Amino acid sequence: MTQGQRVLCLLHWHGEPPYGLTALGVAPDRLAEAEEKATAALAGLALPASWQGADPALRRQFVAACRAVPTAGLWHLADERPAADEDRARHDCFHALSAEWPEADLLPAKESDRLPGLTALVRLTALVCRMPPEVWLDAEEDLLDIYDTYTVGTLPDDLF
């Protein structure tokens, strides 16, 4: 993806503390292909409750299957500020997304309902991003390894 190229983003909001927003970007001209490949990769597989707690063989199976999905990038931000309520955290995460990934066009929720494969992929990726940062996985088990570009971080206390 070149700088400034528009991408369509599917979103996943984690509504339990620590709150978090995950955005999966796909080039508009590859949306149908990405959905087809994500559906094929995740069809029949039950998503684990956590990535860290999932069997390593299952993690490798998911990663191998998802490598074919053409993504333009991934962005995940968690709000770990103790005083942040959900509304404030959501506002701050969306503000940070628009500042850091200005070429992202957010897909409306009803549109993403028609993309079950990519929706499953963004939810699965959100699980990976919620893992403790000190846990290191081999590339074959790290779902973030399928993305060419990604950002994972937290909102700083003095952001806004």
Side-chain angles (χ1 to χ4, degrees), residues 39-100:
T39 299
L42 299 172
L45 296 176
L47 300 183
S50 81
W51 195 250
Q52 186 177 358
D55 180 67
L58 179 64
R59 291 193 301 244
R60 286 191 297 275
Q61 181 182 1
F62 274 119
V63 172
C66 292
R67 285 192 191 280
V69 180
T71 60
L74 171 83
W75 185 90
H76 174 85
L77 193 65
D79 187 345
E80 298 177 348
R81 301 172 299 178
D85 65 12
E86 184 172 4
D87 289 339
R88 184 65 198 190
R90 183 187 303 260
H91 173 271
D92 291 350
C93 284
F94 275 99
H95 187 275
L97 173 62
S98 66
E100 290 184 31

Side-chain angles (χ1 to χ4, degrees), residues 25 38 65 67 82 100 135 141 147 152:
R67 285 192 191 280
E100 290 184 31
V135 175
E141 294 178 45
Y147 298 103
V152 177

